[in-house]
Amino acid sequence: PPPPGGSGEPVDHQALGLTDYLKVVSTPMDLGSVQKKLERAQYLSPDDFAGDVRLVWQNAIEYNSTASMFGVVAGILAQIFDRRFAMITKSAGLDPGRPIPDRPGWPTFQQKKKFYDICTKLTLADLNHMVGLVQQSCQGAVQQCGQKEVEVDVDELDMDTFNKVMQWATSKAKPVKAEG
């Protein structure tokens, strides 16, 4: 069966012939419903939002089993969500609604945003190489997240490393072709 909630739409268990779905999944939830609730400001707290997102992954695992392809993917997505949600709520607690304040001698918010925008234009091979560059000079900024995923915490990059990696990424970024 398809992953419950995986497409961003509620699982149409009747059309899919999943006669036992509501017996196994007591509270259906999908990412499309989460998005609608966000847009309508129906969440009273960040934890309410997180609870619904976690319910999507829990339902997929509960219905399909942890060993199924859908269960494995849901487990990975749950870990990624929990890690990123914790980072967001931790930094928001320092200064709610605002990015981490600029610190003297560290990259500014604008520099980090520009770096992020450049990184979106890099190939996977270039991103992997960039992680290697960061690991060489600022190992604390790289976190292993699962077997094949790493995360670079730009807030942990010292200015020298940031400038070196920014210069390298800028030279590698594919220019966006102008339409016309």
Side-chain angles (χ1 to χ4, degrees):
S7 67
E9 297 291 323
V11 173
D12 189 348
H13 58 280
Q14 291 175 326
L16 294 168
L18 306 175
T19 55
D20 63 342
Y21 186 74
L22 293 178
K23 291 177 184 149
V24 177
V25 175
S26 57
T27 309
M29 183 54 62
D30 62 275
L31 295 175
S33 296
V34 171
Q35 183 173 356
K36 286 175 188 162
K37 287 176 80 172
L38 268 174
E39 290 167 355
R40 295 174 183 153
Q42 291 178 313
Y43 289 112
L44 299 177
S45 73
D47 288 331
D48 290 343
F49 159 76
D52 274 357
V53 173
R54 290 180 182 119
L55 186 57
V56 173
W57 317 135
Q58 291 166 0
N59 287 347
I61 292 167
E62 195 172 322
Y63 188 77
N64 294 289
S65 90
T66 54
S68 73
M69 174 183 68
F70 302 121
V72 169
V73 170
I76 291 168
L77 292 173
Q79 289 176 355
I80 292 169
F81 173 78
D82 283 340
R83 186 178 61 253
R84 293 186 177 168
F85 182 74
M87 286 173 30
I88 290 168
T89 53
K90 183 175 85 173
S91 64
L94 301 174
D95 196 0
R98 295 192 178 100
I100 294 174
D102 290 343
R103 301 175 289 176
W106 294 82
T108 65
F109 176 76
Q110 289 302 323
Q111 288 172 311
K112 291 183 278 191
K113 174 151 182 5
K114 183 177 180 183
F115 178 67
Y116 171 80
D117 292 342
I118 289 170
C119 286
T120 63
K121 298 175 183 132
L122 296 177
T123 66
L124 184 58
D126 285 341
L127 286 170
N128 286 331
H129 185 81
M130 184 190 72
V131 169
L133 291 174
V134 172
Q135 283 176 318
Q136 288 173 8
S137 56
C138 194
Q139 201 165 12
V142 179
Q143 288 186 310
Q144 190 74 33
C145 310
Q147 290 180 324
K148 295 185 177 184
E149 183 184 348
V150 295
E151 198 169 84
V152 174
D153 185 351
V154 182
D155 291 321
E156 295 300 318
L157 291 177
D158 59 70
M159 205 62 201
D160 288 340
T161 303
F162 180 84
N163 286 335
K164 182 171 68 174
V165 174
M166 178 68 149
Q167 184 178 9
W168 182 87
T170 302
S171 74
K172 291 290 185 180
K174 295 179 179 176
V176 178
K177 294 177 183 170
E179 294 182 29

